């Protein structure tokens, strides 16, 4: 026991010593705080009463994309004097139960994703009966009206896919690979479907296990090794772009890697020329606008979109814009 | 409170000694979970202002029932000393079979429901037969089934429907009557309750009756407690185990039909990971991981604790990122409490 204690104290002393002696002059928490002070500061800018809005999404645990959506929503909530609640579950019936719980709470507004619309039908009917306004975000652009939502904010996945197909044509690509990292996600299928439709060359789908990065890398690698004529790889999420680049290098393939969505690494990759282009759907805007539009609806009965969904994408981002965007991706708002 | 044994020279058989009601209560497997459930309820009553509304409680009960329908047969299986890791995806399989059979054959939805029952029970029989024939641990057997079902759910759905979710069967004959059986709501005093709550309570009653009042119940305790002794005294071990797996399959069928008729479209990739939640509910409810001890009521209360926690966090407006942490802490606490209560009960016998 005494020996154990000695070891512990040595370890603690060592860790303290290292952290004091080894300061980094770049990056880390200090750099982040400096950036944060440049980001917007939060204080309510309106005198409306404190309403409560609940956002319920189909995201899994610890998802980068939904973090950015939340950042946008929280920013708008601060400005509009809103008490903002966020909950999520990737199982459709669990997500529906979370909507039920929000209705039970008698919140003043609900923001919901319709990735699995049929499961949400009865929960949203309850919200309508309780007179709670609903805005759908991210997925559900073709059915949001049927479910009684006042408007939809997001990107049409098929249109975004088509934008990728056209961009690939512009770059003279002949054979592309579409990497789907979530089996069973309808939006992902639509993206690859749209890309295939607009692309003049040949496009094949590759399913990978998105929760297991090494598996993603080895699958892409194997595919690139087995078919050397593939000249472009399209990933459907920002975290997978870097993995695809690694796989490309290991397979010594010449393929260009392009991706949906943006994060800090993707912006860096675009800047360094590792990535061709990214299709951004501006998640920050989806969260921010959803809260803001709900506020407008409650305050002034305003509805944006004129009966059509409000599109936040697709926006093609290339090397030219990457440097500018990087300061925002670092902040977690792009 | 203590009973007076007759102070005669005759030795009274120890099995016939009347235990005091207090000791009887202490000896119940679900006692620990009841204490836990009361504690969780009081906790959210204080910290979540909208938790006590009737509509909120209906939502909590619904969440508990969807889990409880599976937790009860899983608890029986665990008392019998086995695991089923395929229980989570089996629910999705059952819903997919029902939906796709009805749609592709253009049959009355009740035909799909019937076919789904037969196929799901067959999966349960497969698990049980593999287990009793190969003598491999159930952990391995059902892990294999779990992976195969996960793949088949995705593969067949994509093959038959062309997408990752099934086509809607809401406009087909028999849908409405099936919906009223598996996924309807009923009102009590203006509050809507889901019918799954009735299914859940019925399953608890039937399972408790089987465990405590029938010969089969004795067999279940026997095969879970000591397999070789059970076989030696003539308990049909293999039949019992296969039956228990069929019980889990039956629960999966009810849950699967509920999913289908609530939403009329099934996502093929769901259900993975739920099997562990069922086991958690059973263990919180006092089931031993080694078998031979536990109760159906306990599993139901375990499900109730789970439902209260998962929805209580929402009502209390906390960040749901911490939910899994609470669940894990509760599992450990409940198991320790159960072990302590059991020790006390055994010491005072």
């Amino acid at each position: 026991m005494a020996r154990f204690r000695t070891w512990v104290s040595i370890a603690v002393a060592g860790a303290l010593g290292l952290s004091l002696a080894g300061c980094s002059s770049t990056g880390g928490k200090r750099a982040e705080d400096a950036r944060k002070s440049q980001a917007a500061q939060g204080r309510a800018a309106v005198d409306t009463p404190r309403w409560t809005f609940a956002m319920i999404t189909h995201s899994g645990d610890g998802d980068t994309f939904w973090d950015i959506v939340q950042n946008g929503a929280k920013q708008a909530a601060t400005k509009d004097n809103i008490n903002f609640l966020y909950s999520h579950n990737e199982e459709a019936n669990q997500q529906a139960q979370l909507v039920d719980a929000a209705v039970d709470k008698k919140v003043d507004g609900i923001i919901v994703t319709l990735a699995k619309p049929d499961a949400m039908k009865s929960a949203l009917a309850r919200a309508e009966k309780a007179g709670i306004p609903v805005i759908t975000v991210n997925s559900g652009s073709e059915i949001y009206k049927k479910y009684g939502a006042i408007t939809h904010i997001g990107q049409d996945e098929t249109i975004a896919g088509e934008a990728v197909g056209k961009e690939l044509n512009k770059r003279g690509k002949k054979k592309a690979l579409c990497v789907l990292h979530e089996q069973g996600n309808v939006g992902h299928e639509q993206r690859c479907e749209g890309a295939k439709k607009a692309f003049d060359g040949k496009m094949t789908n590759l399913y990978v296990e998105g929760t297991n990065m090494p598996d993603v890398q080895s699958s892409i690698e194997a595919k690139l090794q087995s078919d050397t004529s593939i000249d472009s790889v399209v990933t459907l999420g920002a975290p997978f772009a870097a993995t695809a680049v690694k796989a490309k290098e290991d397979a010594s393939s010449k393929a260009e890697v392009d991706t949906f969505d943006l994060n800090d690494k993707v912006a860096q990759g675009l800047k360094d020329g590792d990535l061709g282009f990214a299709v951004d759907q501006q998640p920050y805007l989806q969260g921010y606008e959803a809260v803001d539009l709900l506020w407008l609806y409650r305050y002034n009965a305003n509805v944006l979109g004129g009966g059509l969904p409000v599109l936040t994408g697709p926006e093609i981002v290339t090397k030219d814009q990457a440097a500018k965007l990087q300061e925002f991706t670092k902040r977690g708002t792009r | 409170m203590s009973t007076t044994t007759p102070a005669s020279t005759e030795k009274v058989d120890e099995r016939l000694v009347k235990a005091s009601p207090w000791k009887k209560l202490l000896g119940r497997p679900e006692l620990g979970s009841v204490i836990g459930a009361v504690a969780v309820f009081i906790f959210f009553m204080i910290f979540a202002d909208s938790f006590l509304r009737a509509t909120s409680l209906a939502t909590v009960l619904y969440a508990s029932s969807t889990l409880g329908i599976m937790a009860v047969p899983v608890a029986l299986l665990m008392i019998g000393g086995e695991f089923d890791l395929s229980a989570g995806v089996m629910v999705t399989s059952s819903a997919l079979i029902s939906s796709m059979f009805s749609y592709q054959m253009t049959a009355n939805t009740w035909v799909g429901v019937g076919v789904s029952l037969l196929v799901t029970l067959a999966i349960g029989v497969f698990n049980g037969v593999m287990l009793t024939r190969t003598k491999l641990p159930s952990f391995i057997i059902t892990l294999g089934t779990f992976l195969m079902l996960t793949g088949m759910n995705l593969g067949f759905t994509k093959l038959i429907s062309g997408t990752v979710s099934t086509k809607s069967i809401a406009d087909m004959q028999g849908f409405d009557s099936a919906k009223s059986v598996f996924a309807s709501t009923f009102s009590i005093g203006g509050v809507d309750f889901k019918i799954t709550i009735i299914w859940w309570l019925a399953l608890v009653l039937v399972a408790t009756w089987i465990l405590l009042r029938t010969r089969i119940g004795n067999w279940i305790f026997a095969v879970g407690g000591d397999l070789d002794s059970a076989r030696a005294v003539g308990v049909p071990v293999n039949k019992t185990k296969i039956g228990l797996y069929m019980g889990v399959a039956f629960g999966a069928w009810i849950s699967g039909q509920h999913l289908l008729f609530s939403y009329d479209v099934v996502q093929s990739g769901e259900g993975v990971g739920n099997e562990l939640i069922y086991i958690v509910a059973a263990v919180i409810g006092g089931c031993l991981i080694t078998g031979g001890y536990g109760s159906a009521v306990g599993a139901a209360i375990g499900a109730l604790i789970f439902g209260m926690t998962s929805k209580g966090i929402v009502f209390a407006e906390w960040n749901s990122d911490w939910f899994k942490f609470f669940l894990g802490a509760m599992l450990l606490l409940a198991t320790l409490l159960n072990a302590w209560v059991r020790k006390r009960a055994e010491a005072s016998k």
Side-chain angles (χ1 to χ4, degrees):
Chain A
M1 196 62 216
R3 180 177 292 180
F4 174 72
R5 255 189 227 129
T6 320
W7 278 114
V8 168
S9 34
I10 288 173
V12 169
L16 277 174
L18 278 177
S19 59
L20 287 174
C23 270
S24 163
S25 55
T26 54
K29 176 82 178 141
R30 213 174 296 166
E32 187 191 341
D33 289 345
R35 272 196 304 274
K36 269 213 180 109
S37 64
Q38 291 166 8
Q41 294 295 319
R43 209 158 38 84
V46 293
D47 56 359
T48 46
R50 194 160 175 77
W51 288 313
T52 299
F53 293 165
M55 183 184 227
I56 301 107
T57 71
H58 65 275
S59 125
D61 289 334
D63 187 304
T64 332
F65 179 91
W66 289 103
D67 244 14
I68 302 173
V69 176
Q70 272 188 81
N71 284 342
K74 278 177 187 153
Q75 184 66 66
T78 310
K79 184 181 63 94
D80 293 340
N81 191 22
I82 299 296
N83 176 22
F84 175 73
L85 308 173
Y86 179 79
S87 54
H88 62 91
N89 201 306
E90 64 260 79
E91 297 248 335
N93 63 327
Q94 294 290 327
Q95 196 196 344
Q97 284 177 16
L98 289 170
V99 177
D100 277 337
V103 176
D104 295 336
K105 278 185 69 67
K106 300 198 171 83
V107 295
D108 304 294
I110 289 179
I111 301 157
V112 70
T113 61
L114 294 181
K116 293 144 184 177
D118 305 280
M120 312 307 286
K121 206 179 292 177
S122 63
L124 289 183
R126 272 191 78 205
E128 202 170 10
K129 219 167 95 183
I132 300 172
V134 174
I135 284 188
T136 56
V137 288
N138 182 266
S139 37
S141 54
E142 54 292 317
I143 34 154
Y144 73 95
K145 264 195 223 130
K146 210 170 72 184
Y147 287 57
I150 53 177
T151 188
H152 174 84
I153 302 154
Q155 121 178 316
D156 186 310
E157 300 295 11
T158 315
I159 293 175
E162 283 166 2
V164 169
K166 284 178 194 142
E167 184 71 23
L168 288 174
N169 290 341
K170 223 191 285 176
R171 290 164 180 258
K173 300 293 176 196
K174 293 279 166 284
K175 197 160 189 190
L177 189 66
C178 200
V179 184
L180 296 100
H181 60 264
E182 223 176 85
Q183 256 179 334
N185 185 318
V186 182
H188 288 185
E189 302 274 337
Q190 285 171 338
R191 285 179 182 182
C192 288
E193 222 33 62
K196 200 177 274 178
K197 219 172 13 195
F199 184 45
D200 298 332
K202 194 173 172 303
M203 182 171 258
T204 43
N205 285 2
L206 174 71
Y207 289 92
V208 294
E209 190 79 45
T211 48
N212 181 352
M213 264 313 176
D215 172 76
V216 175
Q217 187 177 334
S218 55
S219 302
I220 299 174
E221 223 171 286
K223 188 78 191 175
L224 289 174
Q225 279 162 343
S226 64
D227 187 352
T228 47
S229 63
I230 292 173
D231 56 15
S232 47
V233 178
V234 181
T235 57
L236 298 190
F240 302 94
T243 312
V245 170
K246 274 205 200 80
K248 170 189 103 171
E249 282 162 3
D250 289 353
S252 50
S253 149
K254 290 274 175 291
E256 171 187 278
V257 179
D258 307 307
T259 184
F260 280 84
D261 296 349
L262 207 58
N263 69 5
D264 191 26
K265 259 197 151 138
V266 168
Q268 186 67 46
L270 289 169
K271 215 165 83 179
D272 300 343
D274 290 338
L275 299 174
F277 64 90
V279 186
D280 191 22
Q281 60 168 312
Q282 310 191 74
Y284 187 85
L285 205 53
Q286 290 178 8
Y288 184 94
E289 286 301 330
V291 171
D292 215 24
L293 292 183
L294 265 183
W295 178 85
L296 277 169
Y297 182 79
R298 288 217 73 105
Y299 171 69
N300 212 22
N302 284 131
V303 177
L304 199 66
L308 291 171
V310 180
L311 296 184
T312 60
E315 195 203 3
I316 303 269
V317 180
T318 57
K319 197 172 180 159
D320 315 333
Q321 303 100 335
K324 175 89 190 93
L325 287 184
Q326 224 189 342
E327 53 183 288
F328 304 141
T329 53
K330 273 205 192 325
R331 205 167 65 182
T333 58
R334 276 307 289 267
Chain B
M1 287 294 284
S2 66
T3 53
T4 48
T5 43
S8 60
T9 47
E10 272 183 81
K11 284 271 291 181
V12 178
D13 191 328
E14 56 152 10
R15 287 169 299 181
L16 295 177
V17 172
K18 281 268 186 292
S20 73
W22 176 243
K23 268 191 192 151
K24 258 195 183 150
L25 185 68
L26 268 181
R28 295 296 313 154
E30 57 270 7
L31 179 70
S33 64
V34 171
I35 298 170
V38 171
V40 170
F41 186 84
I42 291 173
F43 179 83
F44 282 116
M45 203 168 75
I46 296 166
F47 284 99
D49 50 357
S50 48
F51 186 74
L52 269 188
R53 284 189 198 140
T55 48
S56 307
L57 291 177
T59 304
V60 166
L61 275 179
Y62 172 55
S64 310
S65 69
T66 49
L67 168 67
I69 286 172
M70 285 306 287
V72 170
V74 165
L76 255 55
L77 180 70
M78 283 176 71
I79 295 169
E82 302 295 347
F83 279 111
D84 190 350
L85 295 181
S86 65
V89 282
M90 206 191 290
V91 172
T92 312
S93 302
S94 168
L96 287 169
I97 293 161
S98 179
S99 155
M100 289 198 289
F101 190 89
S102 301
Y103 188 90
Q104 297 300 332
M105 299 288 160
T106 325
N108 187 306
T109 48
W110 279 104
V111 179
V113 170
V115 169
S116 167
L117 175 63
L118 293 176
V119 177
T120 316
L121 286 178
I123 298 171
V125 171
F126 173 81
N127 274 336
V129 169
M130 285 294 283
L131 176 88
T132 50
R133 281 289 156 85
T134 59
K135 301 278 188 290
L136 287 171
S138 58
F139 191 91
I140 304 292
I141 300 274
T142 56
L143 190 60
T145 319
F146 155 70
L147 291 169
M148 288 194 293
L149 284 180
T150 310
M152 276 167 34
N153 285 352
L154 285 167
F156 274 124
T157 310
K158 191 98 195 190
L159 190 74
I160 295 170
S161 303
T163 56
V164 287
S165 55
T166 62
K167 301 200 165 61
S168 172
I169 57 165
D171 53 356
M172 296 180 69
Q173 262 188 344
F175 183 87
D176 292 332
S177 57
K179 190 182 169 104
S180 63
V181 171
F182 291 108
S184 57
T185 47
F186 58 94
S187 279
I188 299 176
V191 183
D192 287 343
F193 290 94
K194 288 266 199 307
I195 198 153
T196 44
I197 301 169
I198 305 283
W199 279 102
W200 179 38
L201 293 177
L203 275 178
V204 174
L205 288 175
V206 170
T208 307
W209 176 75
I210 288 176
L211 274 180
L212 302 180
R213 288 274 176 270
T214 67
R215 207 165 51 157
I216 299 169
N218 288 339
W219 291 346
I220 294 172
F221 279 112
V223 297
D226 191 338
L227 195 71
D228 296 328
S229 319
R231 196 173 267 121
V233 297
V235 172
V237 171
N238 291 359
K239 268 190 194 154
T240 307
K241 294 215 163 172
I242 293 171
L244 286 171
Y245 274 107
M246 287 171 77
V248 174
F250 181 74
W253 172 72
I254 297 175
S255 307
Q257 303 317 299
H258 168 68
L259 279 189
L260 170 61
F261 291 106
S262 300
Y263 310 134
D264 63 60
V265 166
V266 192
Q267 305 288 333
S268 57
E270 296 199 336
V272 177
N274 288 352
E275 61 281 343
L276 295 178
I277 307 287
Y278 308 146
I279 292 172
V280 166
V283 170
I284 288 179
C287 286
L288 277 186
I289 216 108
T290 47
Y293 188 84
S295 79
V297 176
I301 294 170
L304 183 66
I305 290 179
F306 188 93
M308 284 195 292
T309 314
S310 67
K311 297 298 165 283
I313 285 178
V314 179
F315 291 126
E317 303 190 4
W318 292 336
N319 190 333
S320 55
D321 292 350
W322 292 95
F323 171 63
K324 292 257 166 57
F325 170 82
F326 280 123
L327 192 65
M330 213 155 26
L331 174 67
L332 291 179
L333 277 174
T335 319
L336 284 172
L337 183 69
N338 288 339
W340 180 79
V341 167
R342 206 168 42 244
K343 257 210 199 80
R344 293 292 304 267
E346 277 161 7
S348 62
K349 261 180 190 156

